[in-house]
Amino acid sequence: MRKLIVQQWVTVDGIVAEEDGGLGFVPGEPFSEKTEPAFKASVMGLVDSVDTMILGANTYAMAKDYWPYAEEQGEYGEKVNGLAKFVASSKLDDAPWGDFPAATVTRDPAATIRELKERDGKNLWLWGSLKLMRSLLDAGLVDEFRLMVSPVALGKGTRLFDDRRDLKPVEAAAFENGVVILRYVVENPAVEAPAVES
């Protein structure tokens, strides 16, 4: 079965957005031939392992006017733009992505993820989208977290988790640019089958 992988930029103290919602702690350099080779290999490894991107409506709104035209992002941008995309939204009727195929709008992201997991193909990639991530995590649909940890502590802001989560570490890698990538498998408790009355 395909996995749903969540990628989040996060500070060392677990913050995913500043108090005003900003992401000033995320490195802003374009992904190009100047990118550190080891970091590039790790990031490209994720992109090559997925064929579908999942976005919340807010993340889509922030991404749609940049990524389809981000030629400075090189091969990374090409691969991101080439992925099939689904946008979770109760308001959008369509979700264009520049000259690339439009994203599919879903009103029921949990049901969509369950259906996509059953299909053949590579893994699914949830990009940012904190509110959507939390709802999919509560539904037991998140399989793995890939945290891109910036070497910054903010003290205040929106935290990645708002309750306890049991995670199993599977990889940690530090890079010359100061970023540490941490991978965790989600320990989803088994759902008990309902009792059958005799």
Side-chain angles (χ1 to χ4, degrees):
M1 180 180 285
R2 303 162 83 184
K3 295 188 300 183
L4 176 61
I5 300 170
V6 170
Q7 177 174 283
Q8 283 278 2
W9 279 99
V10 60
T11 63
V12 295
D13 53 347
I15 301 236
V16 293
E18 294 156 0
E19 289 185 282
D20 62 358
L23 300 172
F25 59 90
V26 176
E29 302 84 13
F31 200 88
S32 69
E33 66 278 355
K34 297 179 182 178
T35 303
E36 176 192 347
F39 181 72
K40 185 173 184 177
S42 178
V43 173
M44 294 301 288
L46 171 66
V47 178
D48 288 338
S49 74
V50 301
D51 60 15
T52 304
M53 177 181 283
I54 314 296
L55 306 104
N58 290 338
T59 301
Y60 164 74
M62 290 187 289
K64 69 181 178 67
D65 293 327
Y66 171 72
W67 281 98
Y69 315 101
E71 294 182 4
E72 71 275 12
Q73 295 285 355
E75 183 184 7
Y76 179 71
E78 291 175 12
K79 292 192 174 187
V80 165
N81 287 319
L83 297 172
K85 295 174 183 67
F86 287 79
V87 176
S89 175
S90 60
K91 298 178 181 178
L92 292 175
D93 292 320
D94 52 29
W97 195 266
D99 291 332
F100 297 91
T104 300
V105 177
T106 173
R107 303 276 191 249
D108 188 344
T112 298
I113 296 296
R114 288 189 186 96
E115 180 184 344
L116 289 172
K117 281 189 167 193
E118 294 294 336
R119 295 183 190 173
D120 291 333
K122 296 182 180 181
N123 290 327
L124 316 172
W125 180 16
L126 177 64
W127 217 20
S129 309
L130 185 63
K131 182 178 178 182
L132 176 60
M133 180 278 287
R134 287 177 173 171
S135 70
L136 295 175
L137 186 61
D138 288 340
L141 292 170
V142 175
D143 299 291
E144 181 180 313
F145 279 94
R146 180 184 173 94
L147 305 183
M148 314 277 282
V149 185
S150 290
V152 177
L154 294 177
K156 296 180 180 179
T158 302
R159 299 200 171 273
L160 178 60
F161 299 111
D162 55 4
D163 56 8
R164 175 174 172 157
R165 297 292 173 177
D166 293 320
L167 306 172
K168 179 181 178 181
V170 292
E171 183 182 3
F175 300 94
E176 291 176 6
N177 59 7
V179 175
V180 175
I181 295 180
L182 303 175
R183 288 179 53 225
Y184 294 92
V185 171
V186 179
E187 304 259 314
N188 283 317
V191 178
E192 295 183 8
V196 178
E197 295 183 9
S198 56

